[in-house]
């Protein structure tokens, strides 16, 4: 019984050659059907290689899938479900698979033994980067990655279940059946596109019928259960904390007529399971003998799979085995090491021609199956650093019940129970442990598995242990000779087990060779542990849909549409897109726009969307007390209808954030934070509320997005707003003084809030309406401002004006500056405690010499001041020892007609008038600057109180 | 035994019979002058410099497991000296200069490969911070170039310039940055130290300190007590556990940092690229694997393994920055224990206990520091005077308010 | 990881933000004569145990509760989860 | 001058994909309710009378005279009221002074209804919660594609998703992408 549908042929290409396969084929089986033996080259020696396995353990048959200039490298031929139009090419060869010049390495192999590169290439020094390394790099690597973006789509998702069953062989299917019948929510996943596991490959009977019939009827029943989810082509690749598993579901590799993959190519699932049954089966091992890597030599079980499931006719072939599992092979000649015969050597560079036995007998054959016994697939039991234990009888590592992840049971071959009968028994028991009763198990094969511990054939020639990475038994012995005897040292020194199969076929053989060299037993020598993922997972799948523009959300302000319509350039501020300036026709560059916006605002009026500042509603009987704790200055005394600037410290005394806080009633404050810190401040406030002062009556809720808020700044701002604000509200200087706040209505009854705040230093207001009105309000404001030549201004002009005023912002509140550094020492209230007060008084933070924020102007007014320059005293050497501070913010002031800067200078508060060098190597701009007050414009604040 | 091309040739022709163990496997002696606790990169380097530069004799390195099994064998192999604060930059530049001579110094090819490191900026404030940082680097004798977008494109044309959520606005390029074959560093120092008489004792776990009247005179180990005049502890992620045996609490939390490697690929990525807007950095090893990582998982952990959210976060950053790597496959993920200090910078200092010295708090930056850390620790152990470039790495800097906080995150280790 | 929220049941730890040792809830008395030292120890020194650890997690993508989670730093096993506010009130 | 015109976050989006309907909902007001510390019991009682339903338990919403009330945090609830009165918060504050605090939240959120047979297949690729097991009346706050979401189950194959207004277009795009991939 095979699973090939010869009525559905597929055309595909291998290295440009047109070939045909069928529905049901993998690429590997299709290549074998086309009698192709040579399919790849090894990593180091570029040895010719053929297909070695029939599943994900493959280490030789790695291919590139090509599609319209995009390459997916290193695909295992056995894991590609054949489809029409597949274009696949061999890799790591130059110029061709058949003639690979890099194969010269194979002849130089005596000099390329384990670790050779640590001992040479040291002279001359400069040659490493220039010559040796490029040579090594070009020779190494496997497939190519095209430099084109990956065009495919990926999804991610979350699944919840009572029982996750990993593997759909006899033990997994039986478990699903029992658990499913009892009503549990079951997920059963298998990396193969056909469920059934070994039952699809080994000819055997279950309850008198063929194993395949049992699989079909079981699958049919499982499909009928709504509580069972069958997930073929799904590799459960990792076990994480608390029952979380990572799984990759391959939806399709198929490319449609448009040259695309429809829908998501792969889905990365995070599976939350209450219980897990690991039924992942076992992987056959090779045997290390001289030249055991010829194309045509493969695992015996793989040959059986290709014959049975894929209907491949190998003709005559031989089997080398140390165990009873190969009894199922239909070979013409079995070489059983248990009878003291083995293979001494082989011939046939690009395809096996013959094998020579230890007796000297030479057997002509093109195909050889080898079986060195079986390794249970214990990988997922190790991901949380569980260690398997050695089973002497079965000569393999089995899961150790004492180190299993929580709520995981291991059954069947994965648990070292290799018969179908034992698989069923294991399933029954595992399900019973979960409270699922079951009837009698079907009758199945129970012939015991017997294995002789035969690992490698000693000799002078190379015998491969890790096929892909070209690690031979001699390499392992040499590593031991050089003192690399710990198994971890051997792995790192020889690269054993580091290939794309993560040592699935090589680790145990390698360990056995090492144990023999050390004269220890295998369990005393070490163990194999595995890290996720079980099989490699596309980075694209881990990224899911979050590439390109979808990397992070985009937050748009209420005036976004209006800004787009008016020439705005946007800047990323966290996830927000803020308008940085609004280009008008005729302007030559961003500076033109920014200068105009700043200048116009100071001359007449400008409008800026400040919605992105965090807004937090603070309500409660203890609101004042609470704010006194979180702000350095006092808020309990703030009068209703007033605002106050607030400086917030971290507990270590550094400035955390600043903003204003308005009081609307005895129990109601509205705090604003900087855009960048809105989230962290909220989190901090919740910490203070819940963890430090749990008995205060305080309630916090973010209203950042609830209110669209615009700054209206400039000498004409009041006049403009008077046209918008409903007449019953008085915003004259007398009735609504600087730092006032009130609830008002605008435009005929629309609810609003107005704050008399100024970041620009001009007469200014901030007006807020529910966001639903945000788009219309900005249009109304601009309409109302037409007579004043109102301008929108962006973050750049905002920055210019705040620097002109010497306000600290993000560049200064950089997490390493104290209130004192910022010139805000006076804000830390003397009488009360606040968060950060105690530690802000440490000796290193309060000396005369600490950094102080000051202003700078260029001595030559035509010089450009640059950000990030360091200050050096005139005449001092330009080195770290003489560094006096650094420039944090700079701007061209259209009002002053030259550049200005603010920065931190040691003891700067007492150094006004001093001349310094502002040293900027990376822009090659060293200029002379003078220390000045950071209040460049209207230092007495007359304008904002107007 | 000297390693050379000639020697490799000769051994190749004679069946490799002449290679000797890279280091001896001695039993511990009853007493040493100086004991280093911890056979990682830093500990082995300290032992080497003690013997080579500071003329110390009777030195032992005690390692709980096998040497190089901790972070020196688990990191993403990057070396660089691109710090902003002078207290760090001077030290890391000293390290980089030692890396540049390491192979000849040790007679071991650790594959120091200066293919450059590029830090990307995505906003003007980031570019400005890079300017400040680049200037700091140059003030400390390092190299730095501030790039605009075109400059970045020249070095890494494959980055996402056209469809990026966070557009690339420039970068800071240190040409002398690069990668080093991490395991080889441990082996190279071990071999060179061993050749100078240092006893490297594996499978020897320190279980206690002999402290009396404020003086430490030896250690208890799984292989018996060992006396010493001076004991230096250099155990990275295990710092708190080991120093607790001396009754000390440290300004350190242990966190897990995951790292990732892809399947082997032909050369694609030239140097090291660090994504300033995502949590992602990548280089390509000589074997062809993309070696990449991102942020800490973020919680205290000694488990040497992490969880899925960070894996996904890192890969999202990777694909959004370098769209072609979607088609590469992640081969292996693992975790290391980071001794995260309270300001993100290390400690190399005496303790209040005479004879007991501490080296730790390396956060995730320990690998690149290896030679300088070893050198500075050796000098401190040998002379009781801090190395010039490591003077700021004092234990008491937190009580004095002299933190060295590159990122400005304050006393929350998982944010550094 | 999964944190079993006392009010909401099991939630993916990715919804939470981690702060650190739950001793951060015991803010020293700023008026004490040893305040400088107390605050230094509070802010900077940690037991950093390899084993059971009481620690603070914030349900940022959820109900905004701060939780005290008892978790083993060697195995990541979580044995106890409480609302921090309850813990703070009872101490 | 006339009243200002309102805009909804997603411009009234509605689209059907193979029987799955994604539609923006609007025309209601959301007010947060926080119970005064120390007076929780009394406050809950009088609010119960007002709502015609007891305040919901964690992870649930309840339906009452005023609309849906959703548990959002300890001692905090969202009332989604079928009204166009945008001064609800102020009126409630006056009515329940000393018992509870209120904050207008309507404009902070975009509200989408997703309904149809395929809704579970979509949501399992969108939200980490165990949506298939959630009963009608479930309310949970979590994340979807790095964005906040408050999800309510309103009928067998029907859910309401609330997400912050500023990123709601990204949210919608992400949801659409999943819907297309599933279809």
């Amino acid at each position: 019984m095979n699973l090939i549908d010869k009525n559905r042929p597929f055309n595909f290409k291998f290295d440009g050659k047109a070939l045909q396969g069928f529905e049901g084929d993998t690429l590997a089986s299709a290549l074998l059907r086309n009698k192709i033996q040579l399919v790849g080259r090894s990593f180091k020696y570029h040895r010719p290689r053929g297909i070695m396995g029939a599943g994900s353990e493959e280490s030789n048959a790695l291919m590139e899938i090509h599609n319209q200039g995009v390459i997916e490298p290193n695909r295992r031929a056995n894991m590609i479900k054949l489809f029409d139009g597949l274009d696949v090419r061999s890799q790591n060869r130059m110029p061709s698979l058949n003639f690979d010049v890099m194969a010269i390495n194979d002849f130089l192999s005596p000099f390329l033994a384990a670790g050779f590169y640590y001992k040479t290439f040291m002279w001359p020094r400069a040659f490493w980067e220039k010559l040796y390394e490029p040579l090594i790099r070009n020779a190494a690597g496997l497939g190519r990655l095209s430099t084109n973006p990956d065009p495919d789509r990926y999804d991610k998702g979350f699944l919840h279940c009572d029982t996750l069953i990993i593997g759909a062989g006899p033990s997994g299917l039986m478990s699903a059946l029992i658990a499913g019948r009892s009503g549990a929510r079951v997920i059963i996943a298998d990396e193969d596109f056909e469920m059934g596991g070994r039952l699809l490959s080994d000819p055997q009977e279950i309850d008198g019928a063929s194993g395949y019939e049992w699989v079909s009827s079981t699958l049919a029943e499982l499909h009928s259960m709504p509580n069972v989810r069958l997930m073929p082509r799904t590799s459960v690749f990792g076990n994480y904390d608390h029952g979380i598993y990572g799984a990759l579901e391959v939806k399709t590799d198929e490319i449609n007529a448009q040259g695309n993959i429809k829908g998501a190519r792969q889905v990365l699932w995070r599976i939350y399971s209450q219980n897990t049954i690991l039924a992942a089966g076992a992987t056959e091992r090779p045997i290390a003998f001289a030249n055991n890597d010829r194309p045509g030599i493969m695992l015996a079980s793989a040959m059986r799979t290709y014959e049975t499931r894929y209907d491949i006719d190998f003709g005559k072939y031989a089997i080398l085995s140390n165990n009873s599992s190969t009894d199922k092979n239909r070979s013409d000649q079995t070489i059983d090491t248990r009878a003291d015969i083995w293979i001494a050597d082989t011939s046939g560079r690009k395809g096996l021609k013959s094998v020579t036995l230890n007796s000297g007998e030479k057997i002509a054959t093109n195909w050889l199956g080898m079986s060195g016994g079986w390794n249970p697939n214990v990988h997922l039991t190790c991901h949380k650093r569980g260690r398997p234990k050695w089973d002497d009888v079965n000569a393999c590592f089995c899961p150790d019940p004492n180190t299993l992840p929580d709520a995981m049971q291991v059954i069947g071959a994965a648990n070292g129970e290799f018969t179908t009968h034992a698989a069923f028994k294991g399933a029954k028991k595992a399900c019973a442990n979960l409270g699922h009763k079951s009837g009698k198990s079907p009758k199945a094969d129970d012939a015991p598995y017997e294995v002789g511990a035969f690992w490698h054939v000693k000799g002078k020639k190379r015998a491969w242990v890790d096929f892909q990475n070209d690690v031979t038994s001699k390499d392992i012995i040499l590593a031991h000779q050089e003192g690399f005897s710990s198994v971890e040292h051997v792995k790192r020194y020889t690269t054993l087990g580091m290939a794309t199969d993560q040592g699935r076929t090589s680790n145990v053989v390698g360990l056995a060779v090492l144990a023999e060299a050390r004269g220890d037993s295998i369990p005393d020598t070490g163990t194999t542990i595995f890290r996720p993922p079980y099989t490699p997972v596309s980075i694209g799948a881990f990224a899911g849909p979050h590439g390109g523009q979808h990397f992070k959300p985009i937050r748009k302000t209420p005036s976004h549409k209006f800004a787009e319509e008016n020439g705005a350039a946007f800047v990323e501020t966290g996830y927000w897109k803020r308008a940085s300036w609004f280009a008008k026709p005729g302007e030559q560059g961003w500076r033109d726009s920014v200068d105009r916006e700043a200048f116009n605002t100071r001359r007449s009026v400008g409008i800026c969307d400040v919605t992105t500042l965090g807004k937090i509603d603070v309500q409660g009987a203890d609101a004042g007390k609470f704010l006194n704790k979180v702000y350095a200055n006092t808020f309990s005394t703030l009068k209703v209808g007033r605002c106050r600037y607030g400086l917030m410290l971290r507990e270590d005394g550094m400035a955390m954030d600043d903003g204003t806080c308005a009081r609307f009633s005895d129990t109601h404050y509205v705090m604003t934070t900087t855009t960048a810190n809105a989230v962290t401040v909220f989190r901090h406030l919740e910490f203070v509320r819940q963890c430090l002062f749990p008995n205060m009556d305080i309630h916090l809720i973010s209203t950042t997005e609830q209110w669209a808020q615009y700054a209206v700044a400039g000498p004409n701002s009041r006049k403009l707003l008077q046209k918008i604000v409903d007449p019953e509200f008085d915003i004259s200087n007398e009735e609504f003084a600087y730092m006032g706040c009130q609830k008002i209505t605008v435009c005929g009854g629309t609810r609003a809030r107005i704050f008399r705040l100024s970041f620009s230093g001009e007469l200014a207001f901030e007006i807020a309406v529910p966001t639903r009105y945000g788009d219309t309000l900005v249009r109304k404001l601009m309409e109302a401002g037409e007579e004043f030549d109102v301008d929108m201004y962006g973050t750049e002009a905002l920055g210019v004006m705040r620097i002109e005023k010497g306000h600290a912002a993000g560049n200064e509140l950089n997490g390493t500056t104290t209130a004192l550094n910022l010139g805000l020492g006076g804000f830390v209230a003397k009488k009360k405690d606040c968060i950060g007060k105690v530690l802000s008084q440490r000796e290193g933070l309060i000396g005369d010499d600490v950094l102080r924020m000051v202003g700078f102007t260029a001595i030559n007014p035509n010089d450009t001041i640059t950000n990030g320059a360091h200050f050096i005293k005139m005449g001092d050497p330009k080195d770290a020892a003489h560094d006096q501070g650094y420039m944090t913010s700079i701007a061209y002031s259209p009002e002053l007609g030259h550049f200005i800067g603010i920065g931190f200078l040691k003891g700067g508060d007492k150094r006004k008038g001093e001349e310094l060098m502002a040293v900027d190597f990376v822009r090659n701009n060293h200029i002379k600057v003078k220390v000045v007050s950071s209040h460049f414009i209207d230092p007495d604040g007359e304008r904002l109180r107007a | 035994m000297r390693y050379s091309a000639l020697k490799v040739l000769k051994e190749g022709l004679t069946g490799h019979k002449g290679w000797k163990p890279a280091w001896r496997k001695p039993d511990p002696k009853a007493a040493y002058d100086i004991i280093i606790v911890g056979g990682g990169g830093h500990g082995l380097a300290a032992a080497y410099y003690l013997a080579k530069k500071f003329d110390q004799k009777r030195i032992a390195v005690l390692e709980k497991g096998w040497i190089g099994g901790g972070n020196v064998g688990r990191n993403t192999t990057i070396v660089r000296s691109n710090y902003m604060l002078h207290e760090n930059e001077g030290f890391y530049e000293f390290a980089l200069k030692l890396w540049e001579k390491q192979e000849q110094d040790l007679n071991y090819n650790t594959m120091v490969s200066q293919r450059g490191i590029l830090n990307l900026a995505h906003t003007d404030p980031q570019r400005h911070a890079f300017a400040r940082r680049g200037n700091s680097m140059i003030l400390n004798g390092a190299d730095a170039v501030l790039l605009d977008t075109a400059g970045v494109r020249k070095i890494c044309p494959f980055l996402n310039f056209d469809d990026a959520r966070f557009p690339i606005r420039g970068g800071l390029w240190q040409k002398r940055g690069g990668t080093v074959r991490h395991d080889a560093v441990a082996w190279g120092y071990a071999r060179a130290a061993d050749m100078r008489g240092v006893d490297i004792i594996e499978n020897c776990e320190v279980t206690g300190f002999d402290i009396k009247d404020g003086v430490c005179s030896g250690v208890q180990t799984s292989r018996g007590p060992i006396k010493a005049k001076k004991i230096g502890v250099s155990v990275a992620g295990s710092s708190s556990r080991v120093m607790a045996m001396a009754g000390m609490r440290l300004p350190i939390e242990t966190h897990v940092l995951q790292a990732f490697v892809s399947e082997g690929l032909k050369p694609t990525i030239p140097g090291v690229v660090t994504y300033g807007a995502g949590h992602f950095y990548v280089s390509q090893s000589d074997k062809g694997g993309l070696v990449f990582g991102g942020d800490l998982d973020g919680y205290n952990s000694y488990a040497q393994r992490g969880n899925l959210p960070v894996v996904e976060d890192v890969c999202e950053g990777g694909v959004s920055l370098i769209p072609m790597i979607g088609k590469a496959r992640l081969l292996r993920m693992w975790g290391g224990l980071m001794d995260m200090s309270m300001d993100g910078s290390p400690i190399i200092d005496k303790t209040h206990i005479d004879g007991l010295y501490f080296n730790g708090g390396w956060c995730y930056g320990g690998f690149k520091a290896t030679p300088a850390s070893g050198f500075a620790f050796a000098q401190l152990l040998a002379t009781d005077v801090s190395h010039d470039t490591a003077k700021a790495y004092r234990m008491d800097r937190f009580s004095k308010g002299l933190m060295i906080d590159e990122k400005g995150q304050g006393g929350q280790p998982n944010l550094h | 990881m999964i944190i079993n929220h006392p009010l909401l049941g099991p939630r993916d730890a990715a919804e939470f933000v981690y702060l650190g040792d739950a001793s951060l809830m015991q803010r020293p008395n700023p008026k004490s004569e040893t305040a400088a030292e107390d605050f230094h120890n509070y802010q900077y020194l940690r037991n950093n145990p390899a084993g059971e650890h009481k620690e603070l997690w914030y349900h940022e993508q959820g109900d905004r509760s701060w939780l005290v989670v008892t978790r083993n730093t060697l195995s990541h096993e979580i044995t106890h989860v409480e609302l921090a506010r309850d813990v703070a009130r009872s101490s | 001058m006339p009243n200002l015109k309102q805009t909804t976050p997603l411009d009234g989006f509605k689209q059907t994909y193979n029987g799955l309907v994604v539609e923006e909902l609007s025309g209601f007001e959301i007010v947060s309710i926080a119970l005064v510390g120390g007076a929780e019991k009394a406050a809950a009682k009088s609010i119960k009378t007002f709502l015609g339903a007891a305040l919901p338990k964690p992870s649930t919403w309840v339906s009452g005279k005023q609309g849906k009330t959703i548990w959002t945090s300890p001692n905090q609830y969202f009332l989604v009221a079928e009204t166009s009165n945008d001064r609800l918060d102020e009126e409630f504050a006056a009515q329940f002074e000393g018992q509870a605090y209120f904050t207008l939240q309507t404009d902070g959120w975009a509200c989408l209804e997703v309904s149809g047979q395929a809704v579970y297949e979509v949501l399992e690729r969108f939200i980490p919660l165990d949506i298939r097991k959630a009963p009608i009346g479930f309310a949970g706050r979590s994340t979807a594609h790095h964005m906040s979401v408050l999800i309510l189950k309103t009928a067998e194959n029907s859910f309401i998703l609330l997400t912050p207004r500023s990123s709601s277009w990204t949210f919608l795009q992400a949801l659409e992408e999943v819907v297309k991939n599933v279809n």
Side-chain angles (χ1 to χ4, degrees), chain A residues 10 292 478 537 698 768:
Chain A
F10 292 143
N292 59 342
L478 176 61
V537 177
I698 282 293

Side-chain angles (χ1 to χ4, degrees), chain A residues 142-158:
Chain A
L142 298 166
R144 291 166 298 165
L145 201 59
S146 60
T147 50
N148 295 325
D150 178 3
D152 295 334
R153 294 198 290 183
Y154 302 87
D155 253 345
K156 291 203 246 192
F158 311 89

Side-chain angles (χ1 to χ4, degrees), chain B residues 313-329:
Chain B
D313 195 42
V314 168
C315 292
E316 287 171 12
V319 168
S320 66
L321 179 69
I322 314 179
M324 68 181 176
I325 67 168
K327 281 258 192 283
R329 277 186 302 275

Side-chain angles (χ1 to χ4, degrees), chain A residues 43 70-76 92 110-111 113 117-122 125 128-129 133 137-150 152 154 156 240-241 246 268 270 383-385 469 478 481-484 486 488-489 492-493 498-500 502 531-533 536-540 542-543 546 548-549 551-554 572 574-575 577 650 652 654 796 814-816 842-845 867-870 878-880 883 886 919-923, chain B residues 3-5 8-9 12-13 16-17 19-23 25 66-67 73-74 86 100-101 103-104 107-109 111-115 123-125 128 131-132 134-136 138-140 146 160 163-167 181 183-184 187 202 263-267 269 275 277-278 284-288 292 303-309 311-313 315-317 319-320 323-334 398-403 405 408-411:
Chain A
F43 177 76
V70 177
I71 303 174
E72 190 189 9
N74 303 338
R75 282 294 300 265
R76 294 156 163 78
N92 194 32
F111 313 109
Y117 29 71
Y118 301 123
K119 300 167 183 162
T120 180
F121 301 130
M122 288 179 276
R125 210 177 92 187
W128 174 251
E129 280 95 343
E133 189 182 41
R137 286 172 80 82
N138 281 311
L142 298 166
R144 291 166 298 165
L145 201 59
S146 60
T147 50
N148 295 325
D150 178 3
D152 295 334
Y154 302 87
K156 291 203 246 192
Y240 300 90
D241 283 314
L268 187 96
R270 203 182 290 181
H383 288 176
K384 289 173 67 188
R385 303 188 69 77
N469 269 359
L478 176 61
Q481 178 190 330
E482 293 193 63
F484 294 88
S486 143
E488 291 295 333
H489 279 153
R492 287 166 161 78
Y493 198 63
M498 304 287 212
T500 61
Q502 274 218 64
R531 299 182 189 291
V537 177
S538 312
I539 295 174
F542 275 118
H546 301 292
Q549 287 293 330
F551 175 44
K552 295 282 152 129
I554 293 171
E572 310 298 329
Y575 296 163
K577 295 245 183 224
R650 293 193 311 235
D652 68 352
M654 301 297 158
E796 286 292 331
N814 62 19
T816 65
R842 284 174 286 175
E843 59 178 89
L845 301 175
N867 212 316
H870 290 240
K878 296 183 183 69
D879 61 24
D883 193 359
Y886 57 97
V919 172
D920 188 350
F921 297 97
V922 294
R923 298 195 189 84
Chain B
Y3 290 159
S4 66
V8 169
L9 205 63
L13 294 169
H16 298 283
K17 297 217 168 56
W19 298 115
K20 295 273 180 321
W23 61 91
K25 311 265 173 193
W66 38 281
I67 61 162
R74 291 167 177 270
H86 296 315
E100 286 171 329
K101 307 187 283 209
E103 286 143 1
Q104 290 70 29
N107 177 231
Y108 203 84
N109 185 2
M111 304 183 204
V112 176
S113 172
Q114 294 176 289
R115 285 173 286 128
T123 60
D124 283 346
H128 297 156
R132 178 187 164 200
N135 286 325
S136 279
I138 294 170
L139 285 170
N140 283 282
L146 189 68
N160 189 355
D163 179 38
R165 173 69 184 81
F166 299 101
R181 171 83 181 102
D183 292 323
W187 304 335
E202 294 175 272
E263 295 177 336
L265 301 163
K266 288 294 173 196
I269 292 183
Y275 186 16
Q284 189 170 12
S285 76
D286 284 345
K287 275 185 68 189
F292 59 102
Q304 288 194 319
R305 58 182 178 80
N307 275 294
L308 271 178
V311 186
E312 296 179 31
D313 195 42
C315 292
E316 287 171 12
V319 168
S320 66
M324 68 181 176
I325 67 168
K327 281 258 192 283
R329 277 186 302 275
L330 194 159
L331 173 62
R332 206 162 54 239
M333 50 181 92
W334 66 94
F398 300 101
S399 59
K400 294 222 160 98
L402 299 170
M403 290 72 69
D405 188 351
Q409 296 290 5

